[in-house]
């Protein structure tokens, strides 16, 4: 006769209960959410994390088999593993951001620290729990199968609960507290309930100690997650833990900017993103229906409404983006009756929507971001073309800093596969590819001239990429100088480069290995220079020889400025090292590419000024002011250089010009006071020192200058 099925004891019942969360799905969900703050979601991220987790489970299982199989006090060990899991996860996730930043590019090391110990504890817990509930070897198969089923069900329920309830409703910080608290509680219950009656008082004390340690870690750790990881030494204004990502608003140089998962999206300051709206709208003769994919901080979609459009559909996959724009940025455009805000995946909208558009603007230029390369495939472009009306226009950013020349050729070839009539335009380092669903551009030149010369569009384009008034984009020659390549030139440039497809996402893999280096844009600029075309080849416009030379010269400087951008990358960090000679060497290369770049002249001048070479510094500040007379940073620098040269009258004049625009700048008042004191005009100098101290009561230099003057000791006034 078969044996009667034994009645499970208390250890068996509790073992089954605990096994439902042995894989710690809740804690793993929090770990995954935290991991997104430390590493970027590359194509290899899933493989990397899966390797670490499986490796840890194997180690834990081996540990349980070798060391814990024969232990007599399995409940003690089991409870300890649960307690350690909660305490470890809480401790490691509340480590200060600087600890994680010390890993640098070593993302695998960060994964090991965050995931491996918890995976080891989990791997050891399951076989130990199985051994706890197997009372009769005859029923081992049934017991193990049931435990596995319960464990799997617990993993499913825990993952759903964390993904759809805990994280969205409570956020990462409270979810961490609750889930690690559950783990600590599970360990305490295992100790107390499964321990012998005579030792329960001792285990009750140990459990309380574990809870106290858990509370102490959470209370004493200064880290706020995700806040401290998103701030990154900037002033964090606001965050939202969104459905798909973390959205943060930061304050940099008194301006608000938006980041999604630590990647810049836009801000208050006008910049090249607005051209993703203006360029296609100026090239299309009569755009009425517009779709923009990727809202950023709202700069691009708001510009479409400056034109006479009937409908503007704005798509973003993260709903929190719209909320943050309404709260922190100009959002009046969102209330325009022509606007529809869609919380959708842009690819799905273009694949399944029946709506037809005159203009589609893809503002997803950061090709190194997770999922963005899916907007650069031949399959996507073909679907997008079907959403365009005849002669409709699609524009897309082309960030050349992230491409090798071969990748750049492949991207262009892929775009041309769907849009044989394509055109390339300068837009800082993020060039704009424009494809036409027709036989070519049909530009209404009189309309373009009118819009550039007057009204809201003229006013909005009253800025320059890198120069001053002569390079402002509302000037027709400047706008024309942004044109780079026509369809024939792009076809020659692309050559026989392979296409990127959804089923062969080569670009996705290459972006995971991208290295953005200073000056890395130069090979692509050389490639472009070999395939430039005249703007007269794409629109009915006639330029005189002198006008054409001017346009060509400006285009050369535009392309040169993309090289400048590359050399300017990381310049702040280089300045922080104190290696001014390296800064001067890099800026020398930059100015060779575009000698009229205001930023490059200014950085060169500041480096020379700090090297106590004021005469050379003065020349570069003057170059910057010659291009942009209203550049106050260069004006202040020129005043400092004049002061170091002993030209106090000149320094005073420059500081007075700055104060006309910035009357409440305490530092300028103090500097002006020092220059006046050197001239012997102590009464007015004292007024400016006092004004500086009133504006900034903690301004020690101004206070010391006041004491020096009032004590009758003029001394030397150092800049």
């Amino acid at each position: 006769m078969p044996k009667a099925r034994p009645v499970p004891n208390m250890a068996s019942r509790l073992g089954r209960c605990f096994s439902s969360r042995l894989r710690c799905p809740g804690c793993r969900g929090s770990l995954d959410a935290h991991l997104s703050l430390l590493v970027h979601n590359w194509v290899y991220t899933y493989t990397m994390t899966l390797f670490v987790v499986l490796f840890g489970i194997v180690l834990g299982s081996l540990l349980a088999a070798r060391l814990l199989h024969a232990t007599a006090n399995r409940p003690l060990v089991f409870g300890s593993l649960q307690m350690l899991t909660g305490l470890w996860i809480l401790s490691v996730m509340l480590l200060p951001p600087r600890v994680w930043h010390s890993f640098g590019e070593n993302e695998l090391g960060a994964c090991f620290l965050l995931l491996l110990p918890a995976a080891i504890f989990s791997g050891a817990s399951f076989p130990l729990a199985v051994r706890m509930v197997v009372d009769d070897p005859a029923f081992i198969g049934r017991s193990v199968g049931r435990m596995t089923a319960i464990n799997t069900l617990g993993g499913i329920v825990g993952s759903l609960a964390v993904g759809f309830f805990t994280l969205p409703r409570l956020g990462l910080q409270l979810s961490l507290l609750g889930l690690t608290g559950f783990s600590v509680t599970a360990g305490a219950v295992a100790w107390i309930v499964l321990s012998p009656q005579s030792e329960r008082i001792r285990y009750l004390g140990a459990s309380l100690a574990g809870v106290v340690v858990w509370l102490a870690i959470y209370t004493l750790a200064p880290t706020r997650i995700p806040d401290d990881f998103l701030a990154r030494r900037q002033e964090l204004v606001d965050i939202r833990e969104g459905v798909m990502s973390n959205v943060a608003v930061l304050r940099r140089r008194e301006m608000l900017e938006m980041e999604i998962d630590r990647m810049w999206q836009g801000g208050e300051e006008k910049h090249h993103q607005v051209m993703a709206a203006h360029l296609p709208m100026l090239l299309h003769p009569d755009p009425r229906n517009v779709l923009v994919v990727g809202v950023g901080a709202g700069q691009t979609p708001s510009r479409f409404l400056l034109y006479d459009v009937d409908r503007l559909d704005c798509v973003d996959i993260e709903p929190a983006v719209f909320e943050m724009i309404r709260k922190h940025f100009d959002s009046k455009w969102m209330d325009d009756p022509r606007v529809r805000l869609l919380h959708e995946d842009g690819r799905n909208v273009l694949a399944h929507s029946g709506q037809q558009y005159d203009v589609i603007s893809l503002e997803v230029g950061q090709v190194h971001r997770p999922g963005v390369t899916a907007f650069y495939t031949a399959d996507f472009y073909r679907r997008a073309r079907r959403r365009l009306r005849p002669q409709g226009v699609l524009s897309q950013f082309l960030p050349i800093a992230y491409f090798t020349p071969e990748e750049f050729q492949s991207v262009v070839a892929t775009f041309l596969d769907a849009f044989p009539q394509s055109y390339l335009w300068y837009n800082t380092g993020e060039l704009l590819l424009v494809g036409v669903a027709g036989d070519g551009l049909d530009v209404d030149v009189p309309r373009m001239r009118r819009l550039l010369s007057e009204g809201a569009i003229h006013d909005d384009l009253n800025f320059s990429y890198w120069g001053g008034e002569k390079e402002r984009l509302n000037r027709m020659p400047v706008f024309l100088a942004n044109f780079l390549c026509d369809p024939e030139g792009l076809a020659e440039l692309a050559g026989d480069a392979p296409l990127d497809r959804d089923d062969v996402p080569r670009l996705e893999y290459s972006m995971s290995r991208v290295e953005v280096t200073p000056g890395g844009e130069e090979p692509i600029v050389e490639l472009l220079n070999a395939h430039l075309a005249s703007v007269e080849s794409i629109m009915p416009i006639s330029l005189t020889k002198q006008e054409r030379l001017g346009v060509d010269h400006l285009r050369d400087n535009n392309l040169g400025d993309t090289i400048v951008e590359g050399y300017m990358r990381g310049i702040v960090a280089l300045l922080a090292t104190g290696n001014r000679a390296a800064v001067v060497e890099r800026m020398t290369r930059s100015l060779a590419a575009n000698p009229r770049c205001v930023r490059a002249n200014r950085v060169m001048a500041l480096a020379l000024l700090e090297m106590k070479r004021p005469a050379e510094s003065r020349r570069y500040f003057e170059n910057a002011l010659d291009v942009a007379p209203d550049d106050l940073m260069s004006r202040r620098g020129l005043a400092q250089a004049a002061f170091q040269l002993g030209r106090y009258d000149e320094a005073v004049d420059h500081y007075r010009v700055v104060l006309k625009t910035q009357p409440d700048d305490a530092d300028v008042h103090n500097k002006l006071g020092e220059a006046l004191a050197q001239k012997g005009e102590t009464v007015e100098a004292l007024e400016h020192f006092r004004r500086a101290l009133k504006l900034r009561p903690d301004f020690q230099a101004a206070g010391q200058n006041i004491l020096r003057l009032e004590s009758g000791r003029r001394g030397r006034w150092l800049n």
Side-chain angles (χ1 to χ4, degrees), residues 385-419:
R385 176 164 180 152
R386 290 198 290 267
R387 300 280 75 81
L388 285 173
R389 291 176 172 173
Q391 294 302 119
V393 171
L394 180 142
S395 69
Q396 183 176 43
F397 285 123
L398 196 58
I400 64 175
Y402 300 97
F403 299 128
T404 64
E406 294 74 22
E407 290 164 351
F408 181 76
Q409 290 174 301
S410 184
V411 170
V412 172
T414 304
F415 195 83
L416 287 171
D417 178 70
F419 296 97

mmCIF file of all heavy atoms in Angstrom, residues 385-419:
data_model
loop_
_atom_site.group_PDB
_atom_site.id
_atom_site.type_symbol
_atom_site.label_atom_id
_atom_site.label_comp_id
_atom_site.label_asym_id
_atom_site.label_seq_id
_atom_site.Cartn_x
_atom_site.Cartn_y
_atom_site.Cartn_z
ATOM 1 N N ARG A 385 6.247 57.708 -43.979
ATOM 2 C CA ARG A 385 5.926 58.324 -45.272
ATOM 3 C C ARG A 385 4.455 58.136 -45.617
ATOM 4 O O ARG A 385 3.837 59.011 -46.240
ATOM 5 C CB ARG A 385 6.821 57.754 -46.368
ATOM 6 C CG ARG A 385 6.462 58.295 -47.744
ATOM 7 C CD ARG A 385 7.515 58.084 -48.779
ATOM 8 N NE ARG A 385 7.084 58.642 -50.062
ATOM 9 C CZ ARG A 385 7.885 59.094 -50.992
ATOM 10 N NH1 ARG A 385 9.196 59.082 -50.791
ATOM 11 N NH2 ARG A 385 7.417 59.565 -52.122
ATOM 12 N N ARG A 386 3.879 56.998 -45.209
ATOM 13 C CA ARG A 386 2.465 56.758 -45.513
ATOM 14 C C ARG A 386 1.547 57.719 -44.777
ATOM 15 O O ARG A 386 0.387 57.871 -45.144
ATOM 16 C CB ARG A 386 2.109 55.309 -45.165
ATOM 17 C CG ARG A 386 2.743 54.289 -46.088
ATOM 18 C CD ARG A 386 2.034 52.951 -45.979
ATOM 19 N NE ARG A 386 2.289 52.317 -44.695
ATOM 20 C CZ ARG A 386 3.274 51.433 -44.478
ATOM 21 N NH1 ARG A 386 4.103 51.112 -45.474
ATOM 22 N NH2 ARG A 386 3.430 50.878 -43.307
ATOM 23 N N ARG A 387 2.047 58.366 -43.751
ATOM 24 C CA ARG A 387 1.236 59.334 -42.991
ATOM 25 C C ARG A 387 1.353 60.750 -43.568
ATOM 26 O O ARG A 387 0.722 61.668 -43.070
ATOM 27 C CB ARG A 387 1.674 59.358 -41.527
ATOM 28 C CG ARG A 387 1.544 58.035 -40.794
ATOM 29 C CD ARG A 387 0.116 57.752 -40.318
ATOM 30 N NE ARG A 387 -0.771 57.347 -41.383
ATOM 31 C CZ ARG A 387 -0.853 56.111 -41.888
ATOM 32 N NH1 ARG A 387 -0.063 55.161 -41.443
ATOM 33 N NH2 ARG A 387 -1.703 55.812 -42.841
ATOM 34 N N LEU A 388 2.189 60.927 -44.588
ATOM 35 C CA LEU A 388 2.376 62.248 -45.189
ATOM 36 C C LEU A 388 1.453 62.435 -46.384
ATOM 37 O O LEU A 388 1.249 61.516 -47.190
ATOM 38 C CB LEU A 388 3.832 62.434 -45.647
ATOM 39 C CG LEU A 388 4.876 62.685 -44.559
ATOM 40 C CD1 LEU A 388 6.272 62.662 -45.177
ATOM 41 C CD2 LEU A 388 4.642 64.019 -43.846
ATOM 42 N N ARG A 389 0.928 63.633 -46.505
ATOM 43 C CA ARG A 389 0.177 64.007 -47.697
ATOM 44 C C ARG A 389 1.154 64.213 -48.865
ATOM 45 O O ARG A 389 2.367 64.342 -48.643
ATOM 46 C CB ARG A 389 -0.609 65.298 -47.438
ATOM 47 C CG ARG A 389 -1.763 65.117 -46.450
ATOM 48 C CD ARG A 389 -2.444 66.436 -46.162
ATOM 49 N NE ARG A 389 -3.645 66.253 -45.369
ATOM 50 C CZ ARG A 389 -4.367 67.233 -44.861
ATOM 51 N NH1 ARG A 389 -3.997 68.500 -45.065
ATOM 52 N NH2 ARG A 389 -5.446 66.982 -44.140
ATOM 53 N N PRO A 390 0.648 64.269 -50.102
ATOM 54 C CA PRO A 390 1.537 64.566 -51.236
ATOM 55 C C PRO A 390 2.314 65.862 -50.993
ATOM 56 O O PRO A 390 1.749 66.870 -50.563
ATOM 57 C CB PRO A 390 0.564 64.705 -52.409
ATOM 58 C CG PRO A 390 -0.599 63.844 -52.032
ATOM 59 C CD PRO A 390 -0.734 63.985 -50.542
ATOM 60 N N GLN A 391 3.594 65.807 -51.241
ATOM 61 C CA GLN A 391 4.537 66.903 -50.997
ATOM 62 C C GLN A 391 4.723 67.208 -49.506
ATOM 63 O O GLN A 391 5.254 68.255 -49.140
ATOM 64 C CB GLN A 391 4.119 68.186 -51.729
ATOM 65 C CG GLN A 391 4.165 68.080 -53.243
ATOM 66 C CD GLN A 391 5.562 67.708 -53.743
ATOM 67 O OE1 GLN A 391 5.742 66.680 -54.377
ATOM 68 N NE2 GLN A 391 6.534 68.559 -53.457
ATOM 69 N N GLY A 392 4.275 66.264 -48.664
ATOM 70 C CA GLY A 392 4.502 66.433 -47.232
ATOM 71 C C GLY A 392 5.975 66.323 -46.883
ATOM 72 O O GLY A 392 6.785 65.756 -47.627
ATOM 73 N N VAL A 393 6.335 66.869 -45.716
ATOM 74 C CA VAL A 393 7.738 66.973 -45.310
ATOM 75 C C VAL A 393 7.926 66.289 -43.957
ATOM 76 O O VAL A 393 7.122 66.470 -43.034
ATOM 77 C CB VAL A 393 8.162 68.454 -45.206
ATOM 78 C CG1 VAL A 393 9.539 68.584 -44.568
ATOM 79 C CG2 VAL A 393 8.161 69.100 -46.588
ATOM 80 N N LEU A 394 8.986 65.496 -43.853
ATOM 81 C CA LEU A 394 9.394 64.899 -42.578
ATOM 82 C C LEU A 394 10.800 65.386 -42.246
ATOM 83 O O LEU A 394 11.691 65.349 -43.103
ATOM 84 C CB LEU A 394 9.368 63.383 -42.658
ATOM 85 C CG LEU A 394 9.779 62.622 -41.382
ATOM 86 C CD1 LEU A 394 8.922 61.379 -41.187
ATOM 87 C CD2 LEU A 394 11.264 62.219 -41.393
ATOM 88 N N SER A 395 10.994 65.845 -41.020
ATOM 89 C CA SER A 395 12.328 66.300 -40.601
ATOM 90 C C SER A 395 12.770 65.524 -39.371
ATOM 91 O O SER A 395 11.947 65.137 -38.536
ATOM 92 C CB SER A 395 12.328 67.800 -40.290
ATOM 93 O OG SER A 395 11.581 68.077 -39.121
ATOM 94 N N GLN A 396 14.065 65.297 -39.277
ATOM 95 C CA GLN A 396 14.620 64.517 -38.180
ATOM 96 C C GLN A 396 16.020 65.002 -37.844
ATOM 97 O O GLN A 396 16.823 65.316 -38.726
ATOM 98 C CB GLN A 396 14.671 63.032 -38.547
ATOM 99 C CG GLN A 396 15.166 62.142 -37.410
ATOM 100 C CD GLN A 396 15.105 60.686 -37.776
ATOM 101 O OE1 GLN A 396 15.472 60.300 -38.882
ATOM 102 N NE2 GLN A 396 14.626 59.845 -36.876
ATOM 103 N N PHE A 397 16.304 65.034 -36.534
ATOM 104 C CA PHE A 397 17.646 65.392 -36.090
ATOM 105 C C PHE A 397 18.657 64.324 -36.510
ATOM 106 O O PHE A 397 18.351 63.132 -36.534
ATOM 107 C CB PHE A 397 17.693 65.522 -34.566
ATOM 108 C CG PHE A 397 17.067 66.777 -34.034
ATOM 109 C CD1 PHE A 397 16.041 66.712 -33.105
ATOM 110 C CD2 PHE A 397 17.503 68.021 -34.449
ATOM 111 C CE1 PHE A 397 15.470 67.861 -32.600
ATOM 112 C CE2 PHE A 397 16.943 69.170 -33.961
ATOM 113 C CZ PHE A 397 15.921 69.093 -33.029
ATOM 114 N N LEU A 398 19.868 64.782 -36.790
ATOM 115 C CA LEU A 398 20.961 63.880 -37.144
ATOM 116 C C LEU A 398 22.185 64.297 -36.325
ATOM 117 O O LEU A 398 23.009 65.100 -36.770
ATOM 118 C CB LEU A 398 21.247 63.974 -38.643
ATOM 119 C CG LEU A 398 22.076 62.863 -39.282
ATOM 120 C CD1 LEU A 398 21.405 61.521 -39.075
ATOM 121 C CD2 LEU A 398 22.256 63.128 -40.765
ATOM 122 N N PRO A 399 22.308 63.786 -35.093
ATOM 123 C CA PRO A 399 23.382 64.217 -34.188
ATOM 124 C C PRO A 399 24.715 63.569 -34.542
ATOM 125 O O PRO A 399 24.998 62.439 -34.154
ATOM 126 C CB PRO A 399 22.879 63.763 -32.818
ATOM 127 C CG PRO A 399 22.021 62.579 -33.113
ATOM 128 C CD PRO A 399 21.414 62.800 -34.472
ATOM 129 N N ILE A 400 25.550 64.291 -35.269
ATOM 130 C CA ILE A 400 26.735 63.668 -35.857
ATOM 131 C C ILE A 400 27.802 63.307 -34.827
ATOM 132 O O ILE A 400 28.702 62.520 -35.127
ATOM 133 C CB ILE A 400 27.342 64.567 -36.954
ATOM 134 C CG1 ILE A 400 27.840 65.887 -36.368
ATOM 135 C CG2 ILE A 400 26.321 64.831 -38.052
ATOM 136 C CD1 ILE A 400 28.544 66.751 -37.389
ATOM 137 N N ALA A 401 27.725 63.860 -33.614
ATOM 138 C CA ALA A 401 28.747 63.543 -32.615
ATOM 139 C C ALA A 401 28.751 62.064 -32.242
ATOM 140 O O ALA A 401 29.763 61.536 -31.775
ATOM 141 C CB ALA A 401 28.538 64.386 -31.359
ATOM 142 N N TYR A 402 27.635 61.384 -32.448
ATOM 143 C CA TYR A 402 27.511 59.997 -32.005
ATOM 144 C C TYR A 402 27.794 58.989 -33.115
ATOM 145 O O TYR A 402 27.711 57.782 -32.881
ATOM 146 C CB TYR A 402 26.098 59.765 -31.444
ATOM 147 C CG TYR A 402 25.799 60.668 -30.282
ATOM 148 C CD1 TYR A 402 25.093 61.854 -30.460
ATOM 149 C CD2 TYR A 402 26.252 60.366 -29.003
ATOM 150 C CE1 TYR A 402 24.838 62.696 -29.406
ATOM 151 C CE2 TYR A 402 26.000 61.205 -27.937
ATOM 152 C CZ TYR A 402 25.294 62.375 -28.143
ATOM 153 O OH TYR A 402 25.051 63.216 -27.095
ATOM 154 N N PHE A 403 28.094 59.484 -34.306
ATOM 155 C CA PHE A 403 28.284 58.587 -35.441
ATOM 156 C C PHE A 403 29.737 58.534 -35.885
ATOM 157 O O PHE A 403 30.454 59.537 -35.854
ATOM 158 C CB PHE A 403 27.448 59.041 -36.641
ATOM 159 C CG PHE A 403 25.965 59.054 -36.405
ATOM 160 C CD1 PHE A 403 25.219 60.183 -36.692
ATOM 161 C CD2 PHE A 403 25.320 57.952 -35.898
ATOM 162 C CE1 PHE A 403 23.858 60.212 -36.484
ATOM 163 C CE2 PHE A 403 23.955 57.964 -35.681
ATOM 164 C CZ PHE A 403 23.218 59.096 -35.974
ATOM 165 N N THR A 404 30.141 57.372 -36.324
ATOM 166 C CA THR A 404 31.352 57.272 -37.127
ATOM 167 C C THR A 404 30.959 57.649 -38.559
ATOM 168 O O THR A 404 29.762 57.662 -38.903
ATOM 169 C CB THR A 404 31.897 55.839 -37.116
ATOM 170 O OG1 THR A 404 30.936 54.971 -37.741
ATOM 171 C CG2 THR A 404 32.160 55.368 -35.687
ATOM 172 N N PRO A 405 31.914 57.967 -39.426
ATOM 173 C CA PRO A 405 31.549 58.259 -40.819
ATOM 174 C C PRO A 405 30.744 57.131 -41.462
ATOM 175 O O PRO A 405 29.799 57.390 -42.218
ATOM 176 C CB PRO A 405 32.905 58.460 -41.501
ATOM 177 C CG PRO A 405 33.798 58.962 -40.413
ATOM 178 C CD PRO A 405 33.344 58.230 -39.181
ATOM 179 N N GLU A 406 31.086 55.879 -41.175
ATOM 180 C CA GLU A 406 30.365 54.753 -41.762
ATOM 181 C C GLU A 406 28.927 54.702 -41.250
ATOM 182 O O GLU A 406 27.991 54.428 -42.028
ATOM 183 C CB GLU A 406 31.088 53.440 -41.438
ATOM 184 C CG GLU A 406 32.454 53.287 -42.079
ATOM 185 C CD GLU A 406 33.527 54.149 -41.410
ATOM 186 O OE1 GLU A 406 33.327 54.531 -40.227
ATOM 187 O OE2 GLU A 406 34.543 54.444 -42.072
ATOM 188 N N GLU A 407 28.729 54.943 -39.961
ATOM 189 C CA GLU A 407 27.374 54.955 -39.410
ATOM 190 C C GLU A 407 26.575 56.117 -39.974
ATOM 191 O O GLU A 407 25.376 55.975 -40.260
ATOM 192 C CB GLU A 407 27.435 55.043 -37.885
ATOM 193 C CG GLU A 407 27.965 53.782 -37.220
ATOM 194 C CD GLU A 407 28.370 54.010 -35.779
ATOM 195 O OE1 GLU A 407 28.408 55.180 -35.332
ATOM 196 O OE2 GLU A 407 28.673 53.018 -35.094
ATOM 197 N N PHE A 408 27.225 57.258 -40.123
ATOM 198 C CA PHE A 408 26.558 58.428 -40.701
ATOM 199 C C PHE A 408 26.087 58.111 -42.123
ATOM 200 O O PHE A 408 24.946 58.418 -42.498
ATOM 201 C CB PHE A 408 27.527 59.606 -40.700
ATOM 202 C CG PHE A 408 26.956 60.878 -41.260
ATOM 203 C CD1 PHE A 408 26.082 61.647 -40.519
ATOM 204 C CD2 PHE A 408 27.290 61.306 -42.537
ATOM 205 C CE1 PHE A 408 25.549 62.826 -41.042
ATOM 206 C CE2 PHE A 408 26.770 62.468 -43.060
ATOM 207 C CZ PHE A 408 25.900 63.237 -42.303
ATOM 208 N N GLN A 409 26.931 57.496 -42.924
ATOM 209 C CA GLN A 409 26.544 57.118 -44.287
ATOM 210 C C GLN A 409 25.372 56.139 -44.275
ATOM 211 O O GLN A 409 24.458 56.240 -45.092
ATOM 212 C CB GLN A 409 27.744 56.497 -45.015
ATOM 213 C CG GLN A 409 28.843 57.492 -45.352
ATOM 214 C CD GLN A 409 30.067 56.810 -45.925
ATOM 215 O OE1 GLN A 409 30.676 55.943 -45.281
ATOM 216 N NE2 GLN A 409 30.428 57.174 -47.153
ATOM 217 N N SER A 410 25.382 55.204 -43.330
ATOM 218 C CA SER A 410 24.311 54.224 -43.239
ATOM 219 C C SER A 410 22.984 54.880 -42.867
ATOM 220 O O SER A 410 21.930 54.530 -43.418
ATOM 221 C CB SER A 410 24.672 53.154 -42.202
ATOM 222 O OG SER A 410 23.697 52.147 -42.156
ATOM 223 N N VAL A 411 23.016 55.838 -41.942
ATOM 224 C CA VAL A 411 21.793 56.550 -41.550
ATOM 225 C C VAL A 411 21.227 57.327 -42.739
ATOM 226 O O VAL A 411 20.014 57.309 -43.001
ATOM 227 C CB VAL A 411 22.073 57.491 -40.360
ATOM 228 C CG1 VAL A 411 20.879 58.407 -40.106
ATOM 229 C CG2 VAL A 411 22.381 56.694 -39.102
ATOM 230 N N VAL A 412 22.097 57.997 -43.471
ATOM 231 C CA VAL A 412 21.648 58.755 -44.641
ATOM 232 C C VAL A 412 21.070 57.814 -45.696
ATOM 233 O O VAL A 412 20.007 58.079 -46.280
ATOM 234 C CB VAL A 412 22.807 59.589 -45.221
ATOM 235 C CG1 VAL A 412 22.401 60.218 -46.552
ATOM 236 C CG2 VAL A 412 23.223 60.673 -44.234
ATOM 237 N N ALA A 413 21.745 56.692 -45.945
ATOM 238 C CA ALA A 413 21.250 55.730 -46.937
ATOM 239 C C ALA A 413 19.887 55.183 -46.532
ATOM 240 O O ALA A 413 18.996 55.001 -47.379
ATOM 241 C CB ALA A 413 22.256 54.587 -47.092
ATOM 242 N N THR A 414 19.702 54.943 -45.241
ATOM 243 C CA THR A 414 18.422 54.425 -44.749
ATOM 244 C C THR A 414 17.311 55.448 -44.955
ATOM 245 O O THR A 414 16.193 55.096 -45.365
ATOM 246 C CB THR A 414 18.540 54.064 -43.259
ATOM 247 O OG1 THR A 414 19.616 53.127 -43.081
ATOM 248 C CG2 THR A 414 17.263 53.454 -42.744
ATOM 249 N N PHE A 415 17.590 56.694 -44.692
ATOM 250 C CA PHE A 415 16.606 57.757 -44.881
ATOM 251 C C PHE A 415 16.250 57.899 -46.365
ATOM 252 O O PHE A 415 15.081 58.034 -46.738
ATOM 253 C CB PHE A 415 17.161 59.074 -44.331
ATOM 254 C CG PHE A 415 16.140 60.152 -44.142
ATOM 255 C CD1 PHE A 415 15.355 60.201 -43.013
ATOM 256 C CD2 PHE A 415 15.966 61.144 -45.109
ATOM 257 C CE1 PHE A 415 14.414 61.211 -42.823
ATOM 258 C CE2 PHE A 415 15.039 62.151 -44.945
ATOM 259 C CZ PHE A 415 14.255 62.184 -43.791
ATOM 260 N N LEU A 416 17.270 57.835 -47.214
ATOM 261 C CA LEU A 416 17.042 57.971 -48.660
ATOM 262 C C LEU A 416 16.217 56.813 -49.221
ATOM 263 O O LEU A 416 15.525 56.975 -50.233
ATOM 264 C CB LEU A 416 18.380 58.042 -49.395
ATOM 265 C CG LEU A 416 19.181 59.338 -49.250
ATOM 266 C CD1 LEU A 416 20.567 59.169 -49.846
ATOM 267 C CD2 LEU A 416 18.455 60.495 -49.928
ATOM 268 N N ASP A 417 16.268 55.659 -48.576
ATOM 269 C CA ASP A 417 15.500 54.516 -49.062
ATOM 270 C C ASP A 417 14.004 54.821 -49.067
ATOM 271 O O ASP A 417 13.278 54.394 -49.969
ATOM 272 C CB ASP A 417 15.789 53.302 -48.176
ATOM 273 C CG ASP A 417 14.998 52.082 -48.590
ATOM 274 O OD1 ASP A 417 15.305 51.522 -49.661
ATOM 275 O OD2 ASP A 417 14.071 51.700 -47.847
ATOM 276 N N ALA A 418 13.532 55.561 -48.064
ATOM 277 C CA ALA A 418 12.114 55.927 -48.004
ATOM 278 C C ALA A 418 11.857 57.295 -48.620
ATOM 279 O O ALA A 418 10.766 57.549 -49.138
ATOM 280 C CB ALA A 418 11.629 55.913 -46.551
ATOM 281 N N PHE A 419 12.859 58.180 -48.546
ATOM 282 C CA PHE A 419 12.704 59.544 -49.055
ATOM 283 C C PHE A 419 13.841 59.857 -50.034
ATOM 284 O O PHE A 419 14.839 60.486 -49.655
ATOM 285 C CB PHE A 419 12.718 60.559 -47.900
ATOM 286 C CG PHE A 419 11.569 60.422 -46.943
ATOM 287 C CD1 PHE A 419 11.713 59.711 -45.762
ATOM 288 C CD2 PHE A 419 10.341 61.005 -47.219
ATOM 289 C CE1 PHE A 419 10.653 59.582 -44.871
ATOM 290 C CE2 PHE A 419 9.272 60.892 -46.344
ATOM 291 C CZ PHE A 419 9.426 60.175 -45.169
#
